[in-house]
Amino acid sequence: QVQLVESGGGSVQSGGSLRLACVISGDTVGTYCKGWFRQVPGKEREGVATIDRDGDITYADSVKGRFTVSQDVAKNTVFLQMNSLQPEDTAMYYCATAPLGYYSGAYYHRSCPPQYTTWGRGTQVTVSS
């Protein structure tokens, strides 16, 4: 069983910065893929950034150039440095993990899946104008 605990959320003014951390504990065999997601009440959850064990990274277009995802593999911790925060970044931020590989129909993809399987409880980020 895997547990994810996020921290680092808070309230900042527009243009400010926050650094989120996600500590992963337990059976980490299936945590090759790690991601940060966010959700605003009444809206669909949005992918923010992903990083895999090899260090391959993806970002949502809305955060490119402002957010940086990183990891400390030895400490099983994933970080999200968020700079130049804007009110539209206000959301609950979740850390999630998934094993490498997934099936789409009969085809196997040896990459991080579109759906992550294990989630933390989230940390709130609020940006005021």
Side-chain angles (χ1 to χ4, degrees):
Q1 191 173 2
V2 178
Q3 294 82 40
L4 285 67
V5 179
E6 303 96 334
S7 62
S11 296
V12 297
Q13 290 192 327
S14 181
S17 298
L18 285 172
R19 188 187 195 212
L20 307 184
C22 173
V23 177
I24 303 167
S25 61
D27 183 359
T28 60
V29 171
T31 61
Y32 183 90
C33 306
K34 307 168 189 73
W36 287 98
F37 300 78
R38 64 188 182 187
Q39 189 168 23
V40 176
K43 294 189 176 181
E44 288 191 1
R45 187 166 53 205
E46 172 190 20
V48 176
T50 65
I51 184 168
D52 68 26
R53 195 168 294 166
D54 290 336
D56 291 331
I57 291 171
T58 67
Y59 292 104
D61 288 342
S62 59
V63 305
K64 282 180 181 177
R66 301 188 299 123
F67 290 11
T68 302
V69 63
S70 62
Q71 62 184 342
D72 184 331
V73 176
K75 295 184 178 179
N76 286 322
T77 302
V78 185
F79 303 97
L80 185 68
Q81 177 66 44
M82 306 185 295
N83 298 328
S84 301
L85 283 162
Q86 301 300 317
E88 53 265 35
D89 296 316
T90 295
M92 183 71 79
Y93 283 71
Y94 297 91
C95 175
T97 63
L100 176 67
Y102 66 99
Y103 280 92
S104 177
Y107 297 97
Y108 177 75
H109 300 265
R110 195 176 185 280
S111 60
C112 289
Q115 301 296 330
Y116 279 54
T117 53
T118 303
W119 295 82
R121 295 193 173 194
T123 185
Q124 177 68 37
V125 171
T126 302
V127 185
S128 58
S129 57

